[in-house]
Amino acid sequence: MKSQSPDPGPFGVMVHKEIADHIRSWRFSILIALIVLTFIAAMYVSLANIKSAIGNTKDPDHLFLYLKLLTTTDNSIPPFHVFLSFLAPLLGISLGFDAVNSEQNSGTLTRLMAQPIYRDNLLLAKFVSALVIVSGLFFALALLMIGGGLVLTGVRMEPQELLRILGFIVITIAYVAFWLSLSIMLSILFKQAATSALTAIGIWLFFTIFYQIIINLIVKSSLPDPAYLTQAEIIRYNDLILNLQRVAPNQLYSDAVTTLLMPSVRSLGPVTMEQMAGAIPAPLPFKESVMIVWPQVSGLMASTVGCFALAYYLFMRREIRS
Amino acid sequence: MKDPIIQLKDLTKQYGAVKAVDGLNLDINKGEIFGLLGPNGAGKTTTILMMLGLTDPTSGTAFVCGHNATSKPILVKKKVGYMPDSVGFYDNMTALENLVYIGRLNGVPENELKKRSAEVLEIVGLAADQHKKTSAFSRGMKQRLGLADVLIKKPDVIILDEPTLGIDPTGVRDFLALIKQLSRQQGLTVLLSSHHLHHVQQVCDRVGIFVSGRLLAQGDISALSDQLFGTDSHVTSIRLAQPVSQPWQLEPELQAWEAITQISIHENELEFTSRRDITAALVRFLVEKGYDVIGVNQKNYGLDDIYQKYFESNSTKNTSYEKSIS
């Protein structure tokens, strides 16, 4: 018998179809395999080193077993969250780079637009369907890790740890969302899927590799020699450099997740001796960590929304021809 | 019964300096099949896109089914089925899945969807191929699936952009017959664009000739020919065995015939333009005067000539505005 579910409307129908398309696509299967493999490798390494990490009483975070599972490494491979700062953009780009132009090239966009649907619904459906899939993937991984950890170690989980891990997942999803909306925007801008994919990968490479080099070059050539500066000036310049680096979304992401996954991180900038005086090296409560990363999170969200708004602007008044 | 379902008023679309559509006024009545005839790049597709609100007109308005297509495109698209010139389908889905998807987007209730899609697939003759992936479809099959796509939403108006492009002659005949049958049975209004006049001639009640963004003439075929050539639409050309001397002594005598409006002589070819069909009288006259008639040719103006007349004058123009790929 048919269920009495309400009419999903054109938007629901489109999201449904897009999700089905993603799940059936080879591209997505390959990316899932890549991320799952990374996850397993990172878990394997951290499980091998978890004993020494927990036993290291000098580390104020040493009692957070599940956070340690995510961050411990013996330096043979980077921890999972660092891996993700490379892989998540790839995931976002690959799910979005041909969102609009492939439909246009195959002639389905005209057919779709001749149906009684709002144009923005198409964009939103592309965005939401990819995000639903990515969220499903990351939540599944996180819950698997927690469950596996519980079974293997039998250690009780702190509520704080759960919140931090969920926060980490949410920020990762926001990070993927940024790259997704960027690549959807590029897929509207460029007619060829290959061009938009290359451009998106170019932007990604620029921010992960070249951006820091360029900042360093500019800083070295234009800032005065630190030896002649007062401490206050050095701190001011340091802040400036950090803020410049934070233009890069991957910097925002790694700042945010590091703070969430390492409760003892108190500040993302330089800290003066006066500020440190009297501070006990102890983990921060969850709320405080969230307060520290809030600017990063809102920065990520803002750039996501910005890209999406630009995509919307480009798409709404564009002439649809095949 | 004049009940315009499509009303275009001073519709203009400008791309930079080029006017793709220039002050188009057109009424299409309910239940008729209207053919928009024009060469490539005449602005046919642009006009259609403006009727569906897929492109904004620079000025003027397009009313379709009583709604302004620019400000209320959703209401228009509920009533209008559009088949683009290069119709595309999702290759990874079967014909039925493609169709059902469009049906769902149009809000066809889930319990009715199966029945209705089977129905339209039967109408277009694809029932046997409905579980094939559309990537395996031929151009003609895609075209028919495109029609099924249009029909599943039960439209009032069907707009077909170059529906006969790239199908073989039998396919074209079947397709056009299908369109005509559908229009007559269900009272659908059909607007089809084409640069292929014979196809248009076969099915259309009315034809509009569209060149360089302007509608040069409209009406049924005989009205068009009248509009173009006035009433002097009979031309008889007669070939003689020997060239006639210049000036020809019989010319003044023939000029005196009240039916003849023009005589042109080119060596042994005589061409008479007349108000009535006077071919027989002319031949008799020439034979009596001792000329050896070796060929008589009577010209009737058909769409071909109409088409030719309009397009010849435009063929010298630059074709910088072709179908914009961008």
Side-chain angles (χ1 to χ4, degrees):
Chain A
M1 288 302 285
K2 284 255 179 278
S3 62
Q4 291 299 309
S5 62
D7 182 26
F11 178 66
V13 173
M14 278 192 280
V15 171
H16 191 266
K17 184 240 163 208
E18 292 296 329
I19 290 181
D21 272 0
H22 279 312
I23 288 177
R24 285 186 204 142
S25 72
W26 271 106
R27 180 198 315 175
F28 187 66
S29 316
I30 290 169
L31 276 163
I32 281 197
L34 204 61
I35 286 179
V36 169
L37 274 181
T38 318
F39 180 73
I40 291 172
M43 281 307 111
Y44 178 77
V45 171
S46 70
L47 274 175
N49 294 284
I50 194 82
K51 196 173 171 200
S52 60
I54 299 292
N56 178 8
T57 46
K58 280 190 189 139
D59 181 358
D61 300 337
H62 69 99
L63 284 176
F64 293 104
L65 176 83
Y66 294 90
L67 297 184
K68 280 288 156 207
L69 265 179
L70 275 172
T71 51
T72 307
T73 172
D74 58 0
N75 294 327
S76 58
I77 59 165
F80 187 56
H81 67 98
V82 176
F83 255 128
L84 271 191
S85 76
F86 297 109
L87 279 180
L90 209 56
L91 188 64
I93 289 170
S94 69
L95 289 180
F97 76 93
D98 62 349
V100 174
N101 49 17
S102 72
E103 294 241 10
Q104 184 152 16
N105 291 340
S106 65
T108 46
L109 188 62
T110 332
R111 204 164 60 97
L112 213 54
M113 285 295 105
Q115 310 309 325
I117 50 172
Y118 293 103
R119 278 191 190 195
D120 50 337
N121 272 358
L122 177 74
L123 284 189
L124 202 59
K126 297 264 178 201
F127 185 71
V128 167
S129 61
L131 265 198
V132 165
I133 285 192
V134 169
S135 314
L137 171 67
F138 283 127
F139 275 111
L141 280 182
L143 295 177
L144 272 178
M145 184 214 89
I146 293 171
L150 275 175
V151 170
L152 286 177
T153 63
V155 176
R156 196 174 67 90
M157 191 175 194
E158 297 285 329
Q160 206 201 125
E161 280 182 287
L162 180 67
L163 286 177
R164 280 175 186 274
I165 289 173
L166 291 184
F168 159 67
I169 297 297
V170 169
I171 290 173
T172 307
I173 291 168
Y175 184 48
V176 176
F178 165 72
W179 288 101
L180 183 66
S181 68
L182 179 76
S183 63
I184 288 180
M185 193 264 284
L186 291 172
S187 84
I188 297 171
L189 205 57
F190 297 111
K191 297 288 169 283
Q192 297 299 326
T195 320
S196 71
L198 270 180
T199 314
I201 288 175
I203 293 174
W204 168 55
L205 276 180
F206 173 77
F207 276 128
T208 36
I209 300 173
F210 300 110
Y211 190 67
Q212 284 182 333
I213 300 176
I214 291 172
I215 295 275
N216 278 340
L217 269 179
I218 294 172
V219 165
K220 275 201 183 127
S221 59
S222 63
L223 289 196
D225 186 348
Y228 300 106
L229 291 176
T230 65
Q231 201 187 15
E233 278 173 323
I234 291 177
I235 289 174
R236 206 159 53 84
Y237 280 124
N238 233 324
D239 267 349
L240 179 72
I241 295 166
L242 264 175
N243 284 335
L244 279 177
Q245 281 179 349
R246 282 182 190 137
V247 170
N250 49 329
Q251 183 68 36
L252 290 181
Y253 173 72
S254 50
D255 278 2
V257 293
T258 313
T259 314
L260 273 185
L261 292 179
M262 300 180 177
S264 57
V265 172
R266 296 179 156 244
S267 163
L268 292 164
V271 181
T272 59
M273 285 309 284
E274 294 117 69
Q275 285 171 317
M276 280 299 286
I280 306 157
L284 287 179
F286 175 66
K287 193 178 151 236
E288 298 304 315
S289 290
V290 170
M291 295 295 272
I292 292 177
V293 299
W294 197 245
Q296 270 77 2
V297 175
S298 42
L300 270 180
M301 301 265 186
S303 16
T304 309
V305 172
C307 280
F308 196 76
L310 190 56
Y312 185 87
Y313 171 78
L314 287 171
F315 192 60
M316 280 317 274
R317 284 295 163 200
R318 121 102 53 104
E319 180 172 295
I320 310 285
R321 275 176 189 255
S322 43
Chain B
M1 184 196 76
K2 292 280 172 194
D3 181 16
I5 195 160
I6 299 177
Q7 280 179 293
L8 310 180
K9 285 205 189 92
D10 291 320
L11 203 61
T12 302
K13 177 74 185 181
Q14 197 141 7
Y15 292 103
V18 185
K19 271 192 174 166
V21 177
D22 188 2
L24 176 63
N25 284 294
L26 180 65
D27 283 355
I28 295 173
N29 298 322
K30 206 168 175 354
E32 75 175 335
I33 305 182
F34 189 90
L36 204 53
L37 191 62
N40 294 334
K44 290 173 303 209
T45 305
T46 310
T47 308
I48 289 172
L49 291 183
M50 284 192 281
M51 284 183 212
L52 288 160
L54 293 177
T55 291
D56 292 346
T58 313
S59 67
T61 50
F63 274 89
V64 180
C65 302
H67 303 290
N68 186 329
T70 313
S71 56
K72 300 251 186 326
I74 300 288
L75 292 177
V76 170
K77 287 190 267 189
K78 273 190 180 147
K79 298 280 181 69
V80 179
Y82 167 54
M83 191 170 93
D85 51 353
S86 54
V87 59
F89 296 94
Y90 296 106
D91 283 346
N92 54 348
M93 287 155 71
T94 66
L96 185 65
E97 283 169 343
N98 265 298
L99 191 61
V100 163
Y101 179 48
I102 294 297
R104 286 204 180 110
L105 285 181
N106 278 289
V108 178
E110 210 57 38
N111 46 10
E112 216 182 289
L113 202 55
K114 208 171 177 183
K115 196 175 121 255
R116 213 194 277 187
S117 49
E119 232 171 66
V120 291
L121 281 169
E122 192 63 50
I123 291 175
V124 299
L126 282 177
D129 301 303
Q130 58 176 304
H131 294 299
K132 268 193 199 161
K133 292 249 161 93
T134 49
S135 50
F137 269 29
S138 69
R139 171 98 202 175
M141 287 162 90
K142 278 190 182 169
Q143 217 74 348
R144 277 187 283 163
L145 183 56
L147 192 62
D149 229 37
V150 163
L151 292 175
I152 198 166
K153 65 161 98 167
K154 299 216 155 129
D156 293 346
V157 179
I158 303 184
I159 297 179
L160 307 166
D161 196 356
E162 301 276 8
T164 55
L165 203 70
I167 330 181
D168 56 65
T170 354
V172 168
R173 209 179 48 224
D174 293 350
F175 193 79
L176 291 176
L178 183 59
I179 289 170
K180 189 153 193 170
Q181 182 197 345
L182 282 170
S183 165
R184 295 295 177 255
Q185 280 176 356
Q186 308 186 9
L188 294 174
T189 312
V190 179
L191 171 73
L192 68 92
S193 89
S194 179
H195 60 260
H196 225 293
L197 65 135
H198 294 293
H199 302 162
V200 169
Q201 210 168 5
Q202 276 176 43
V203 291
C204 292
D205 302 323
R206 273 200 312 147
V207 174
I209 295 196
F210 201 59
V211 178
S212 300
R214 272 171 304 141
L215 194 67
L216 296 183
Q218 57 166 310
D220 53 33
I221 308 286
S222 65
L224 267 184
S225 126
D226 281 354
Q227 212 169 322
L228 217 108
F229 302 99
T231 44
D232 326 331
S233 50
H234 292 276
V235 171
T236 311
S237 69
I238 296 176
R239 196 139 48 103
L240 303 176
Q242 298 89 27
V244 295
S245 54
Q246 289 277 21
W248 191 28
Q249 73 275 15
L250 288 178
E251 197 172 338
E253 197 176 330
L254 282 166
Q255 290 281 24
W257 292 26
E258 54 90 24
I260 292 180
T261 52
Q262 201 196 331
I263 301 173
S264 65
I265 302 164
H266 184 73
E267 297 204 343
N268 61 340
E269 294 264 4
L270 311 174
E271 203 171 84
F272 302 91
T273 310
S274 59
R275 294 195 182 86
R276 295 193 307 272
D277 186 2
I278 51 161
T279 312
L282 273 173
V283 173
R284 201 178 309 125
F285 175 79
L286 287 170
V287 170
E288 277 169 9
K289 294 285 174 193
Y291 287 94
D292 299 332
V293 176
I294 57 167
V296 178
N297 196 6
Q298 197 178 15
K299 255 191 198 166
N300 284 317
Y301 283 113
L303 254 186
D304 257 326
D305 305 272
I306 298 167
Y307 203 67
Q308 204 61 37
K309 175 146 181 174
Y310 279 121
F311 295 176
E312 256 177 5
S313 58
N314 283 281
S315 59
T316 46
K317 282 193 181 172
N318 60 356
T319 46
S320 62
Y321 175 71
E322 277 297 323
K323 286 247 176 332
S324 57
I325 309 294
S326 58

